[in-house]
């Protein structure tokens, strides 16, 4: 995809996850599940105050610890950096649930978008799901340096078992963007 008029390649912010395929949506293979406690931890990490949290949650909430907002168990991963000319390492923690078939093996593949200077590592790089509803966690570590302050760097993590392809966009950008 090209940004109209500029000829520059579009980034993840320029388009969504693609067209919805209702048939494939019935059998996605893996899902990123979120519950009320995940959302509350995210809002706590965003420094919401007790009054606002009570309005949102419908009950009094006490924030415990400091959950990084980037670790919300959501398919997309993004991080804002304060400087574009320094090296960085950012880690994302995620958990997926197998709602496909038992004895499924998902292999990770990282696809860097045009011009991206990111180095992306997934650990573990293979998820072997023995049963339906099994949960497994993984870590995505993104590193790099000298990012373009006017353009986010992006990549895609794709988990595939040969039938299902579960795509997660990864975006790193700086204050300049």
């Amino acid at each position: 995809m090209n940004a109209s008029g500029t000829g520059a390649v579009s980034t993840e912010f320029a388009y969504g996850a693609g067209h919805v395929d209702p048939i494939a949506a019935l059998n996605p293979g893996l899902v990123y599940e979120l519950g009320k406690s995940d959302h509350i931890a995210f809002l706590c990490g965003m420094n919401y105050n007790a009054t606002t949290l009570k309005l949102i949650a419908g009950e009094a909430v006490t924030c415990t610890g400091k959950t990084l907002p980037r670790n919300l168990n959501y398919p997309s991963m993004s991080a804002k950096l304060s400087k574009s000319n320094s090296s960085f390492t950012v880690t994302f923690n995620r958990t997926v649930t197998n709602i496909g078939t038992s004895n499924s093996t998902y292999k990770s593949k990282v696809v860097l978008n045009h011009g991206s200077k990111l180095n992306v590592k997934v650990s573990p790089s293979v998820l072997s799901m023995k049963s339906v509803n099994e949960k497994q966690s993984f870590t995505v570590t993104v590193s790099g340096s000298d990012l373009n302050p006017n353009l986010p760097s992006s990549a895609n993590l794709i988990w595939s078992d040969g039938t299902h392809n579960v795509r997660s966009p990864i975006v790193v950008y700086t204050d300049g963007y």
Side-chain angles (χ1 to χ4, degrees):
M1 297 178 70
N2 288 331
S4 82
T6 68
V9 174
S10 296
T11 66
E12 295 298 324
F13 290 136
Y15 57 96
H19 295 284
V20 174
D21 180 345
I23 302 302
L26 293 172
N27 182 15
L30 298 175
V31 294
Y32 292 80
E33 292 186 298
L34 288 170
K36 183 177 180 179
S37 62
D38 297 301
H39 286 95
I40 290 171
F42 172 77
L43 295 173
C44 287
M46 297 289 293
N47 297 317
Y48 276 60
N49 65 39
T51 304
T52 305
L53 284 169
K54 185 175 181 180
L55 285 170
I56 294 169
E59 61 189 15
V61 173
T62 303
C63 293
T64 56
K66 179 74 172 165
T67 301
L68 293 172
R70 71 172 173 253
N71 285 328
L72 178 67
N73 198 46
Y74 200 71
S76 62
M77 301 170 219
S78 69
K80 180 179 179 183
L81 306 174
S82 58
K83 296 180 181 176
S84 62
N85 60 352
S86 60
S87 62
F88 66 89
T89 300
V90 179
T91 302
F92 301 95
N93 300 309
R94 296 291 187 271
T95 300
V96 289
T97 303
N98 178 29
I99 61 169
T101 58
S102 54
N103 298 315
S104 300
T105 300
Y106 287 85
K107 295 178 182 176
S108 66
K109 178 173 129 180
V110 174
V111 179
L112 295 177
N113 289 339
H114 180 76
S116 180
K117 297 179 182 180
L118 301 178
N119 180 21
V120 181
K121 299 286 183 212
V122 181
S123 180
S125 61
V126 175
L127 301 176
S128 296
M129 301 290 196
K130 305 271 186 277
S131 61
V132 175
N133 294 321
E134 180 178 348
K135 296 178 186 300
Q136 288 197 23
S137 297
F138 62 94
T139 301
V140 177
T141 304
V142 182
S143 59
S145 62
D146 300 322
L147 295 181
N148 180 342
N150 301 315
L151 193 66
S153 291
S154 58
N156 286 285
L157 165 61
I158 302 166
W159 289 105
S160 180
D161 67 351
T163 301
H164 307 97
N165 292 299
V166 182
R167 183 179 79 90
S168 293
I170 302 166
V171 178
V172 178
Y173 59 100
T174 64
D175 280 336
Y177 183 73

